[in-house]
Each structure stands twice: as structure tokens, then as C-alpha cells.
Amino acid sequence: MSFSLAFHPRLLDTLRSYDRSRWLADVGAGVTVGIVALPLAMAFAIASGLPPGAGLWTAIIAGFLISALGGTNAQIGGPAGAFIVIVYDIVERYGVANLMIATACAGVLLLLLGFFRLGTLVRFVPVSIVIGFTNGIAVLIALSQVKDWLGLSITHMPGNFFSQLRTLTQHIDSFNSYTFGLGTACVLGLFVWPRLTMKGSPVMQVLEHHTVRHFARLPAPVVALVTLSLLAKVLEFPVETIGSRFGGIPQALPAFALPDFSWGTVRLLVTPTVTIALLGAIESLLCARVADQLSTDAQYKKHDPNQELIAQGLANLVVPFFGGMPATGTIARTVTNIRAGATSPIAGIVHALTLALIVLVAAPLALHIPLAVLAGILLFVAWNMGEWHEFVRLRRFSNHYRLLMLGTFLLTVVFDLTVAVEVGLFMACALFVRRMSALFRVERQPEPGIDTDTDTDTGAPATPPPQRPCATWRLHGALFFGAAAKIDPIVQAVETGPPGIELVLDASELVALDTTGLDALAQILKAVAARGGRLSVIHLHEQPRSLIARSGFGAQLAAQGLPPDGPEIIDPCADARDRE
């Protein structure tokens, strides 16, 4: 692990060869994704137990910082669906003020991860754990929106999964058919709109008018938000809106405010801080990898994970001072950005500026947005977020994979993401140790025979037998703490074998050795010495050879009187094998 203060945003590389054509492409993509981000940012904040303005200004401030300072070309930062469950739980347990402190502390932690160049470690999280908690979060997001989708009169929703189910069941008699209709229409519209307006569809073949084609390019969430809000307003549906619950969105820049920070509070918020930082790192770097895979630009550079974590850390450190919520890379908006033609971080900066302009100019219009429409958008997000086909594919994979994925999924739903990831990583490590230990084995090689050819003159054997009995064992795999017990058959064979044995360990297929494995070799040497024999280790690879030399075990082998080759002893049974 190394520490580096190197700070090199991708934006600096972009500006060296920037031209007018790229500028136009980035502006178009930035405006498009800015419009898409508007309903999502509000919906994520409301679902997290925060006012809609918190989501909007998080998308603006964090989106600007992540694009300007990050290590990717096209990633869009802001509030994400994955944070809904986490933020709601933190607000429920600790309050909004402590959420801000935890977010800022998570930003510091992300900065340290970036400066210590630990961005690549996120890739070590098994894909089964990522899929498990992603699907679990999707289920919880959908469950959290049932209240607003059905229009139930619930003052406060608990954070616990089973408590939420019980609360929804107890208030089902307050069902609002108007709210349900708007939410359902929103979900259906989000599924149908892209299929109706895609190039070559029957609808677009009939409606060839130029204006219609431009209208068809509007993002589905924006179309649903505008049309259904107008419908509810004109027909005066009795549904709850942003205005009726929150009083609207402030049409001004957010005020800078310092949270009530103390060391005692920070100590209480260790778990929320680590959760936000871990989830933010995983989401942002997974999103960056998706962006790398989607880009078709020949000049596109792969993301810098450490620079990206630095940008994520700075964004999460700054946003709480303006009343924002945790931010990370967002896959849906990043994909929209790339498909809209983005070529550089300029598109992400334009997205933030577009969103800020909309908020400052059109904030009063948000008063009339029904919460059922935002619930429909989030139900659609939850559906797209989950990788539901992975449940069907489980039968193709091992029991280890199934246990990790289903265990993480159930723990995420029933408990929370922190428990799920912690237990999931523990299970992954335990299963990995078990699997690697199963791959290690020792095999006894055939004993060298004695040549029975005799001298025709004297009748004596043509070649004398070896002076000591020889035995050769071959080691396969990695000899580490999880497999050290598999050395016991060698020790038992030495203890019950003839005295004065020449024992040879063939390490040609030993790929790794740790200190516990080295201790196991020392036990073999001890058993051999007790029987008056000698131990040789041959054909060592670089890593085992280095450890044996540094530990002094090589010197112990050489002290037996055999000529060493570094820590490796020549094979004293080679002559006997050659005579076979």
C-alpha cells in the first residue's frame, strides 16, 4: 500500500484536445441527462426521508464536483437509488443532522482510500455479493414506495422490513384509487414509451412529422412527470403532491451551514460512515466500469479508480454543508449520458448547470407534482436496478455462489446493507479458504527401485543401492493456514518409517506458501531430524523460495550437510531415480 497526493482529474486531459464538435456533443448530452436527473433526484430524496431540495442540490453540487474532479470521461454523480435504504435508516436512527456528519466523514474516508491508492480493492468484492445486495436494495426501494403508490394515510414509515409490511397491512383501508391510478400509469408509461418511440417502431412509422420525432426523444421520466402532473392538476385529483407535503422547493441557492460536529458524535456514527463510504466506493467504481464497457470512442481512456474515489470523497465532504445527501456514481444517468453522445466530463458539468437552471427558474412548478408519480418512477428504477435473471441462473453455479448471493440478498432485505456486506464478505473469505484448502494436496511418489542387474564376473549388483532409504512427496497448490493440516500424512509417514530417511519435498507445483505453511514444513524437518534423516526441498518457485530464505528455514536445511542452492537443497534421491 502506498500513499500519494497525486491529483490529476480527467478533465485536464480532455481540455488538451478539446474542439467545437466535442463541445456541442457534450452540451447536448449534458442537457439531456440534466432533464433526466430532475425527477430522479427529487424522488430519491423523498424516498430517503428528506425534502426534494436535498436531492436536487446534491445532484447539482456533487454532480459538478464529481465530473470536474473525477477520473472518468462520462460518469454522472449524484444521489443514487442504492442510498435510499441506507439514508432512510440513518435518518430514522440518528436524525438528519447526524446524517450530514456521517456523510462528511464518509467523504474523508473516501479521500483516504483514493490517496492510499486502494481503489482497486473494491474490485475484490465478489460479484455474487454485489448482485445480492443490489437486488435486496431494489426490493426495499420498491417496498418503500408502496405507501405513496397506494395513497395510504401513513404518517411515518418504520425502517424495519417486517415493520413496514405490518404498517402497510394495517393501513390498507386508506387506499386511494386516484393515487394508485397515477402511479400505475407512470410505471406503464415508463415501460411503454421507449418501445413506442424507438426508431422503426410502428408508431414512429405512422407519425413521421418532424415535431413528433423531436418530442419522441424526450426521456420517459420527464414525459411521465409533466403529463401526469398536468392531468392531476386539471382534473383536480385528490392526491398528495410535493407542495402539500413539503411546501415546495426553495427557489434560491442553499445556505452554507456547519453541522454540530463533535468527536463523541463521530464515534457514534462509525457504522453509518463506513456504510456510506463502502457503498459509495462500490457504486461509483462499478458505474465507472460500466461506462468503460459502453464507450465506443477509440480515444477513450479507462477510468482511474483512485482519482474517482478522491472526487467522490470531496463531493461527499462538501455536499452536507449545503443540506445535501450522500452521492455516488449513478449508472442510469451515466448510461443516458453516454448514449446521448457525451465525450468528456464537460457533459457532467453541463448536466449540473442545467439542473441548477431548472431549479432556480421553474421550482414553483414542482408544487403540483403528485408523489404517486415519483413513486412510479422509483418503482421503475427498482425494477431496472435489480438483476432478477440472476435468480434463474443460480442453478448453473456452485453452492458457494448460491449461498453468497442468496445470503446477501436476504440479509439486505431483512436486516440492512451493512450486515449483509459484512457477513457476505466474511462468508466469501471463509468459502474461499475452504475452496483453496481443498485444492491443496500431497502425493507420495513411487519409491526408487534397486537395479537387479548383476556383474557377470562377480555376481554383485552392477549399481550399489542408495546408502539411505529415500521418499519423495510432491506438493500441489497453495500451502497456507487453511491447508497446513494436509501435511500430517508426511509427518506420520516419517514417524513410522525407517530411520535415517532421505525425505524429498518436490515443490514444482507449490504455487504459494505462507508462514503457517512454513511452520508445517518446520514440523516435517523436526520429525525427520528426530529419525536421524535429512529433508530436501526441490524445484521451488519464487514466492516460496523467498519466504524460505527470509525466514531462516533455508539455513536450517543447509545445516543438515547437503549442498544448498540458495534455500533449495539438491535432490539426494536423484541418483537412485536415475538408476530406475
Side-chain angles (χ1 to χ4, degrees):
M1 182 174 65
S2 62
F3 181 82
S4 174
L5 286 174
F7 185 76
H8 190 80
R10 185 59 54 84
L11 182 62
L12 297 180
D13 296 331
T14 299
L15 295 178
R16 292 196 185 103
S17 59
Y18 206 63
D19 54 32
R20 184 174 181 273
S21 62
R22 296 184 67 185
W23 160 254
L24 293 175
D26 286 338
V27 169
V31 171
T32 300
V33 76
I35 296 173
V36 171
L38 177 69
L40 295 177
M42 290 190 293
F44 291 154
I46 293 172
S48 302
L50 300 171
L56 290 171
W57 285 109
T58 299
I60 294 168
I61 298 172
F64 181 90
L65 292 175
I66 290 171
S67 294
L69 306 177
T72 66
N73 278 40
Q75 177 155 278
I76 301 296
F83 274 122
I84 290 176
V85 179
I86 300 300
V87 173
Y88 188 89
D89 185 60
I90 295 174
V91 171
E92 178 80 9
R93 294 185 185 182
Y94 304 98
V96 175
N98 286 331
L99 168 67
M100 304 306 167
I101 296 175
T103 303
C105 292
V108 174
L109 189 55
L110 287 169
L111 276 173
L112 293 176
L113 290 176
F115 284 132
F116 278 102
R117 310 190 67 78
L118 297 177
T120 54
L121 291 182
V122 176
R123 299 179 182 177
F124 295 162
V125 179
V127 66
S128 53
I129 292 179
V130 175
I131 293 173
F133 77 65
T134 300
N135 286 356
I137 290 172
V139 169
L140 293 176
I141 290 174
L143 181 63
S144 69
Q145 297 310 298
V146 171
K147 165 184 170 290
D148 289 330
W149 179 38
L150 301 180
L152 304 183
S153 299
I154 300 175
T155 305
H156 177 74
M157 280 289 288
N160 179 270
F161 173 73
F162 294 108
S163 297
Q164 286 183 347
L165 290 178
R166 183 171 61 253
T167 301
L168 292 172
T169 304
Q170 291 173 347
H171 293 81
I172 195 66
D173 55 345
S174 60
F175 170 77
N176 185 326
S177 59
Y178 294 97
T179 300
F180 176 72
L182 284 175
T184 304
C186 179
V187 173
L188 293 177
L190 293 174
F191 275 107
V192 172
W193 178 261
R195 293 163 177 78
L196 291 179
T197 58
M198 65 185 299
K199 187 176 180 180
S201 69
V203 174
M204 293 307 296
Q205 289 177 0
V206 174
L207 303 175
E208 287 292 340
H209 193 274
H210 184 72
T211 304
V212 173
R213 290 201 302 271
H214 279 291
F215 180 71
R217 296 176 184 173
L218 289 175
V222 175
V223 175
L225 190 72
V226 173
T227 56
L228 293 176
S229 296
L230 286 174
L231 180 67
K233 177 64 176 176
V234 171
L235 298 181
E236 298 182 350
F237 286 164
V239 295
E240 193 173 16
T241 65
I242 288 179
S244 63
R245 180 179 294 184
F246 300 101
I249 300 174
Q251 196 175 6
L253 295 174
F256 180 86
L258 289 173
D260 187 11
F261 183 88
S262 68
W263 179 243
T265 304
V266 172
R267 291 177 59 188
L268 293 174
L269 298 174
V270 170
T271 299
T273 296
V274 173
T275 302
I276 293 173
L278 179 62
L279 183 57
I282 293 174
E283 282 288 309
S284 62
L285 296 185
L286 285 177
C287 181
R289 291 177 63 183
V290 170
D292 289 346
Q293 296 167 2
L294 289 177
S295 177
T296 57
D297 187 353
Q299 299 181 346
Y300 185 88
K301 290 176 61 178
K302 299 295 183 182
H303 74 279
D304 179 350
N306 298 308
Q307 181 62 41
E308 188 60 29
L309 288 182
I310 291 173
Q312 299 287 341
L314 288 171
N316 282 283
L317 180 60
V318 171
V319 160
F321 299 121
F322 296 93
M325 58 188 292
T328 185
T330 57
I331 294 179
R333 276 162 277 174
T334 298
V335 171
T336 301
N337 191 38
I338 293 174
R339 290 177 177 171
T343 67
S344 76
I346 296 293
I349 294 174
V350 173
H351 134 268
L353 297 177
T354 301
L355 198 53
L357 182 63
I358 294 173
V359 171
L360 295 175
V361 173
L365 298 178
L367 292 171
H368 309 295
I369 297 176
L371 296 179
V373 176
L374 296 179
I377 292 174
L378 283 184
L379 288 172
F380 181 74
V381 168
W383 174 259
N384 285 333
M385 183 179 179
E387 299 185 47
W388 313 113
H389 60 280
E390 293 294 336
F391 288 114
V392 179
R393 298 178 62 221
L394 277 177
R395 64 178 183 272
R396 304 180 186 177
F397 298 104
S398 65
N399 289 331
H400 287 187
Y401 183 94
R402 296 170 189 167
L403 178 61
L404 279 179
M405 180 180 157
L406 293 177
T408 307
F409 171 76
L410 293 174
L411 287 171
T412 301
V413 173
V414 175
F415 294 98
D416 59 51
L417 181 64
T418 306
V419 173
V421 173
E422 289 174 351
V423 175
L425 289 175
F426 174 79
M427 288 194 300
C429 293
L431 293 174
F432 177 77
V433 169
R434 181 174 181 271
R435 180 172 296 175
M436 292 302 296
S437 63
L439 294 176
F440 178 80
R441 67 184 191 280
V442 296
E443 292 180 352
R444 186 163 187 168
Q445 302 302 107
E447 300 293 339
I450 299 177
D451 195 338
T452 56
D453 292 341
T454 58
D455 188 290
T456 56
D457 295 329
T458 64
T463 305
Q467 296 179 353
R468 292 171 177 262
C470 287
T472 301
W473 292 75
R474 179 168 293 171
L475 310 180
H476 300 263
L479 179 54
F480 69 114
F481 64 90
K486 292 192 174 183
I487 291 293
D488 290 347
I490 302 179
V491 176
Q492 294 171 4
V494 171
E495 292 174 344
T496 58
I501 190 171
E502 291 280 6
L503 180 64
V504 178
L505 298 181
D506 184 352
S508 59
E509 296 186 19
L510 180 67
V511 296
L513 178 71
D514 74 350
T515 53
T516 305
L518 186 66
D519 183 70
L521 296 183
Q523 297 302 316
I524 296 176
L525 177 60
K526 182 179 178 181
V528 169
R531 300 286 290 172
R534 295 187 299 192
L535 173 66
S536 304
V537 184
I538 63 174
H539 304 148
L540 282 165
H541 292 289
E542 181 179 356
Q543 189 274 331
R545 176 192 291 271
S546 174
L547 179 59
I548 287 176
R550 288 182 285 109
S551 66
F553 186 67
Q556 297 178 40
L557 294 177
Q560 300 174 102
L562 291 173
D565 177 16
E568 181 175 2
I569 305 301
I570 62 173
D571 185 357
C573 296
D575 291 340
R577 276 192 290 270
D578 291 341
R579 291 193 297 270
E580 287 189 308

